[in-house]
Amino acid sequence: MQARDAERLWRALAAVQAEQFAEAAAQVAAVLDAGVDTPDAHLLAALAARGEGRGEDALAAIDRAILRAPDLPDLHAHRGVILSGLDRLHGAERAFARAVRLLPNDPHHLADLGRIQLRRRRFERAFATLTSACDLRPDDAALVSDLAVALCGLRRPDEAVLHLDRAVTLEPEHAEYRANRSRARLLAGRYAEGFADNEARWRTKAYAHSPPLPHPVWRGEEVADARVLVVAEQGLGDTLQLVRYAPRLRDRGAATVHIVCQPELVRLLDAMPGVDGATSIHEPWPQADVCAPVFGLPLAFGTTLETVPADVPYLRVPRCGELLRAPRTEALCAGLVWTGKTNRTLDLEQLEPVLEIPDIAWVNLQVGPLAAEARTRGLADPTPELRDFADTATLLTQLDVVITVDTAVAHLAGALGLPTLVLLHAGADWRWTNEGATTPWYPRARLFRQRPDGPWREPIEALAAALATLPPREDRRDAPDAPDARAQAPSRRPASSAT
């Protein structure tokens, strides 16, 4: 390699470190054009391409580097990072595992591997990997916190809290560790401590770009004659779960209670009993005296696991005009959602034991491109007619049962007090409690849990067995307490004949 090419590689490295990725790409391209074919040159090309958002080019470049130096662990670690950015988590785990095999006692490679295993919900493996990393770096608060996340995934929240206590002790000002401890404490049912820790959320990365609230935050004090804005903070499901507290502000003396929420929820929450209306979070907010962020409401009301406000329904279906109606047959009418975020996702094929149950009229509730898949499998699909969650609520009330993964639909059906069967992934969070088939937040919901590192097949088959025992429509019209009626109902499966 000529001195000029070496100088360009140094410039490329400096540019990468300064996040000047276009300059880095130009420097390394000149070196490669000159015929230099070293692992370092291809690595820098990969780093520059990744920095510019050209993931596939980065992958090709790092593969060329590995081809020339297959036993360098850092190259495999970089490959894992690139694949992770491309959301190819299986390949990323294999790349990080290769780096660990080449350099077994490197805490950085172990941390990379453990964190990708967490993303893949492989909690047993993540726990083992991160334990090894923590043994090498016991005072690394980030590793201790990640190990606690793995313990939560293994449904061992009390142990997770102990680790997060240590992480907070090591870095008292680090908000992310307190937020993780909040989730662990809530999963353990320690609501008073968990919701107190949750106040650290305002200092986490998730809230970094949130605009400041325009009024003082309500902390649970009397608000005689005050105008209160209940403000949505995170996802649709979070809002649907925690908005139940809004009407209770009247008991603290509020003169008016107005909800500021996601646009998709405005019409639904505008009709909520006990509130004065709802406004999109993107529109001008009404005048008020205080703000009540929804995630602060359980703390402000002193909620414990035993005092969760569990009265359902607390939402009311507004008048929404005509919709494409759910099938009105004598068969059981069941709505289905099978995909949410990555860790809440199923393939429709996995639900064959459920879809094959006879005498059920299936209704698709999955919005977006996957609705086409439901139609090809014969599910009725009213979703093109759904404008927002008010329309969805209207549709849900026409069904006999809602079957869903952990999505906003689960919270909507629960808030409406509808019979709801929820398939929960192994890492399901605190609102579904740590174990068991029920949650105090939604008394008419029944939960079917995936075991840590276990197959989806088990909870799906359990759900199918429960669904097959639901009584037909004519037996349920006058039975509002359907969960109790199910226990006495005969199976709806056809009797098997001897052969």
Side-chain angles (χ1 to χ4, degrees):
M1 183 190 306
Q2 296 184 7
R4 179 181 58 185
D5 295 323
E7 177 64 23
R8 283 174 173 163
L9 288 180
W10 280 109
R11 290 177 182 174
L13 176 60
V16 165
Q17 293 171 337
E19 298 186 357
Q20 297 172 352
F21 299 111
E23 170 64 16
Q27 293 290 342
V28 78
V31 172
L32 293 171
D33 288 344
V36 175
D37 190 25
T38 64
D40 287 343
H42 293 293
L43 170 61
L44 287 168
L47 296 177
R50 177 173 173 264
E52 290 187 301
R54 297 183 286 110
E56 294 294 344
D57 291 341
L59 182 59
I62 199 66
D63 283 345
R64 288 191 291 271
I66 290 172
L67 186 64
R68 287 151 181 81
D71 294 330
L72 284 181
D74 283 352
L75 297 182
H76 294 278
H78 282 297
R79 190 173 196 270
V81 171
I82 292 167
L83 286 167
S84 177
L86 292 169
D87 207 30
R88 300 180 192 172
L89 302 188
H90 176 68
E93 182 176 350
R94 292 182 63 184
F96 289 133
R98 177 64 175 161
V100 168
R101 285 195 298 272
L102 290 167
L103 194 60
N105 293 320
D106 184 278
H108 300 291
H109 296 330
L110 286 165
D112 286 338
L113 178 58
R115 285 162 182 158
I116 207 69
Q117 289 167 336
L118 281 182
R119 286 184 63 185
R120 297 193 68 203
R121 296 296 189 261
R122 306 185 78 176
F123 296 113
E124 291 282 4
R125 293 192 179 195
F127 176 73
T129 303
L130 292 168
T131 296
S132 297
C134 285
D135 288 344
L136 294 166
R137 298 189 64 174
D139 293 333
D140 187 323
L143 280 176
V144 173
S145 179
D146 289 335
L147 181 61
V149 173
L151 283 165
C152 283
L154 293 172
R155 320 314 288 177
R156 294 158 60 182
D158 288 312
E159 294 175 63
V161 170
L162 295 176
H163 283 78
L164 288 161
D165 286 343
R166 175 164 171 74
V168 170
T169 299
L170 289 167
E171 295 189 33
E173 300 305 314
H174 202 297
E176 303 289 346
Y177 305 149
R178 292 184 184 272
N180 281 347
R181 189 171 66 179
S182 166
R183 289 185 280 271
R185 283 173 162 172
L186 292 171
L187 187 62
R190 296 159 60 175
Y191 277 14
E193 299 167 290
F195 285 123
D197 260 345
N198 194 40
E199 291 303 294
R201 71 192 185 280
W202 298 105
R203 298 185 286 111
T204 62
K205 293 178 182 177
Y207 284 77
H209 301 293
S210 298
L213 295 171
H215 307 292
V217 172
W218 182 67
R219 305 288 185 185
E221 67 276 9
E222 293 296 319
V223 283
D225 300 322
R227 299 165 297 175
V228 182
L229 291 182
V230 175
V231 183
E233 301 176 47
Q234 296 188 23
L236 295 163
D238 302 312
T239 304
L240 289 167
Q241 178 194 2
L242 298 174
V243 76
R244 70 183 69 207
Y245 288 94
R248 297 169 186 269
L249 285 158
R250 298 281 193 187
D251 299 334
R252 299 297 177 96
T256 62
V257 178
H258 199 95
I259 300 170
V260 180
C261 60
Q262 297 91 334
E264 303 95 320
L265 297 179
V266 168
R267 285 200 305 144
L268 176 67
L269 299 187
D270 192 59
M272 184 178 183
V275 303
D276 296 285
T279 297
S280 169
I281 203 165
H282 304 303
E283 301 295 331
W285 295 10
Q287 290 296 315
D289 301 301
V290 295
C291 288
V294 292
F295 259 101
L297 291 174
L299 177 65
F301 279 97
T303 304
T304 67
L305 189 61
E306 295 72 30
T307 63
V308 169
D311 296 335
V312 295
Y314 54 85
L315 297 181
R316 180 173 62 197
V317 178
R319 295 181 181 274
C320 296
E322 291 298 318
L323 287 175
L324 177 62
R325 299 295 175 183
R328 306 310 296 171
T329 70
E330 292 305 312
L332 193 77
C333 195
L336 179 64
V337 181
W338 67 92
T339 293
K341 294 181 180 178
T342 302
N343 62 334
R344 306 170 183 176
T345 296
L346 289 169
D347 294 325
L348 200 52
E349 290 78 8
Q350 292 174 279
L351 291 169
E352 286 293 345
V354 176
L355 295 174
E356 290 176 350
I357 298 173
D359 302 325
I360 294 181
W362 288 100
V363 179
N364 174 53
L365 303 174
Q366 187 76 54
V367 297
L370 289 177
E373 184 179 352
R375 291 192 293 271
T376 63
R377 302 179 73 89
L379 278 69
D381 183 24
T383 59
E385 304 296 328
L386 302 179
R387 298 164 291 175
D388 58 15
F389 274 75
D391 286 348
T392 303
T394 301
L395 179 61
L396 294 188
T397 58
Q398 300 174 48
L399 305 174
D400 294 305
V401 63
V402 177
I403 300 166
T404 178
V405 291
D406 179 7
T407 66
V409 170
H411 293 280
L412 178 59
L416 291 168
L418 303 176
T420 309
L421 308 181
V422 187
L423 285 162
L424 294 176
H425 60 89
D429 68 7
W430 59 272
R431 71 200 75 212
W432 305 111
T433 68
N434 190 40
E435 58 186 3
T438 60
T439 171
W441 294 92
Y442 302 115
R444 298 198 72 189
R446 185 171 175 184
L447 313 179
F448 300 83
R449 300 178 184 273
Q450 180 191 35
R451 291 186 293 107
D453 290 359
W456 271 113
R457 173 181 51 80
E458 294 173 357
I460 289 171
E461 289 180 352
L463 183 147
L467 184 60
T469 66
L470 287 176
R473 181 185 302 278
E474 61 268 25
D475 294 340
R476 302 182 71 245
R477 285 173 176 160
D478 299 319
D481 296 326
D484 297 330
R486 292 174 202 162
Q488 306 301 323
S491 171
R492 296 179 60 253
R493 291 186 181 274
S496 59
S497 57
T499 57

